[in-house]
Amino acid sequence: MSTSASTPSAATGHARFPHLQAVIFDWAGTLVDHGSLAPTQIFVDAFATFGITLTLDEARGPMGLSKRDHIRTLLEDAGLQAQWQARFGKASTDADIDAIYERFMPMQIEKVGRYSQPIPGAVDALKALRGAGLKVGSCSGYPRQVLDVLLPQAKADGIEADHVVAGDELAAGGRPGPFMALANVLALGIGDVRACVKVDDTTPGIEEGRRAGMWTIGLSLSGNETGLTLAQLQALPDAAVVAHREAATKRLMAAGAHLVIDSVASLTKALAEIDARMARGERP
């Protein structure tokens, strides 16, 4: 039987989200680690061992890329490159990127577990998706060695995906390319990328989902774009929270997000909106 052009080729048929098949998540700042502190702080610490001063805001700039690409992008910044040249008397090279990465990796592996706590609402959101018959994929800028530490701890706290792709294990590369998202499509047996939703707290992660042909939901307050722990966020006056939300939403929408919500605690409502838009014939 042929399928109409406006209907996913393998619709789920589940009553709650009948037009959707899978949700693909990022990890830090999306499911765990409110504020996405684990990767940012370790970048600051790793660069400091080379005598280079890197602020948390600077470290956040390329967040979402694979960690080696993240380091490369940081060193392309004029200010950091000037620091490097002042300290070492020459421009940074690929060998220097490798050296920083090799310094970064054991520090990240050692400390990632400290930041593995689920973001409030994440456990319930995953239960709701599975209860609705949706598959749960995931990908990360973290290399596999780091995920091998993070994933068991997250699982113990109720956070688990059906499939996980690490930022260093695809020959085609990582974000903002579509490759990790599409690897989830293949592994999960999804019949139509248009029935997938990518959820991410970074602009490269949103671009990844759009390039893969998926719906995309950005997270404004729980992740990299705001960069605050839950306690720090809750301590802010309402006006400051509104300002953070508006600034993050603007950046995520500019990257191509179809919707932006505060955190995964609001995910099921956002998915219902996307499903309704699909029922009206809209496609990502």
Side-chain angles (χ1 to χ4, degrees):
M1 181 178 69
S2 63
T3 303
S4 69
S6 63
T7 303
S9 60
T12 64
H14 293 280
R16 190 169 188 186
F17 308 113
H19 299 86
L20 297 177
Q21 296 180 33
V23 181
I24 299 170
F25 294 91
D26 177 50
W27 281 88
T30 298
L31 291 173
V32 299
D33 185 8
H34 198 289
S36 193
L37 296 180
T40 47
Q41 185 60 55
I42 307 306
F43 279 121
V44 171
D45 296 344
F47 271 80
T49 68
F50 289 84
I52 304 298
T53 300
L54 176 68
T55 69
L56 276 173
D57 283 344
E58 287 170 334
R60 289 188 184 283
M63 195 61 66
L65 302 179
S66 68
K67 301 315 174 194
R68 190 182 298 274
D69 288 342
H70 192 129
I71 292 168
R72 183 187 305 278
T73 302
L74 287 173
L75 285 173
E76 290 172 353
D77 176 80
L80 288 177
Q81 187 59 216
Q83 278 195 63
W84 188 274
Q85 293 186 32
R87 180 161 184 81
F88 296 104
K90 62 180 181 64
S92 61
T93 65
D94 284 348
D96 296 321
I97 294 169
D98 291 341
I100 298 171
Y101 183 78
E102 289 169 6
R103 190 74 53 85
F104 168 87
M105 278 293 292
M107 297 170 72
Q108 183 75 93
I109 291 168
E110 177 189 357
K111 296 183 179 180
V112 69
R114 301 181 190 178
Y115 301 92
S116 66
Q117 293 79 13
I119 288 171
V123 173
D124 288 341
L126 292 180
K127 287 180 180 177
L129 300 192
R130 290 194 165 101
L134 300 185
K135 295 181 179 180
V136 177
S138 69
C139 50
S140 176
Y142 280 141
R144 177 55 65 176
Q145 284 180 284
V146 175
L147 286 178
D148 285 344
V149 176
L150 172 62
L151 295 180
Q153 297 186 49
K155 181 178 180 180
D157 290 327
I159 302 293
E160 185 178 17
D162 302 322
H163 187 67
V164 183
V165 181
D168 64 342
E169 61 188 5
L170 295 181
R175 297 169 184 151
F179 313 110
M180 291 194 293
L182 293 177
N184 274 276
V185 171
L186 292 172
L188 297 173
I190 303 303
D192 193 331
V193 294
R194 299 171 300 173
C196 297
V197 181
K198 176 70 199 303
V199 182
D200 208 295
D201 65 301
T202 69
T203 56
I206 295 298
E207 292 176 38
E208 170 192 27
R210 288 302 302 258
R211 293 185 187 190
M214 300 175 179
W215 293 91
T216 56
I217 297 176
L219 305 176
S220 61
L221 295 183
S222 69
N224 183 70
E225 291 301 322
T226 294
L228 298 175
T229 67
L230 182 61
Q232 290 170 332
L233 183 67
Q234 291 174 334
L236 292 179
D238 289 346
V241 175
V242 169
H244 278 296
R245 180 186 291 116
E246 290 178 348
T249 297
K250 183 177 180 180
R251 290 189 292 269
L252 291 163
M253 293 294 286
H258 292 94
L259 293 173
V260 177
I261 57 179
D262 288 355
S263 75
V264 290
S266 304
L267 181 62
T268 54
K269 183 178 179 180
L271 293 178
E273 180 176 339
I274 288 174
D275 194 84
R277 290 168 65 174
M278 294 181 75
R280 295 192 296 268
E282 291 186 47
R283 293 296 177 264

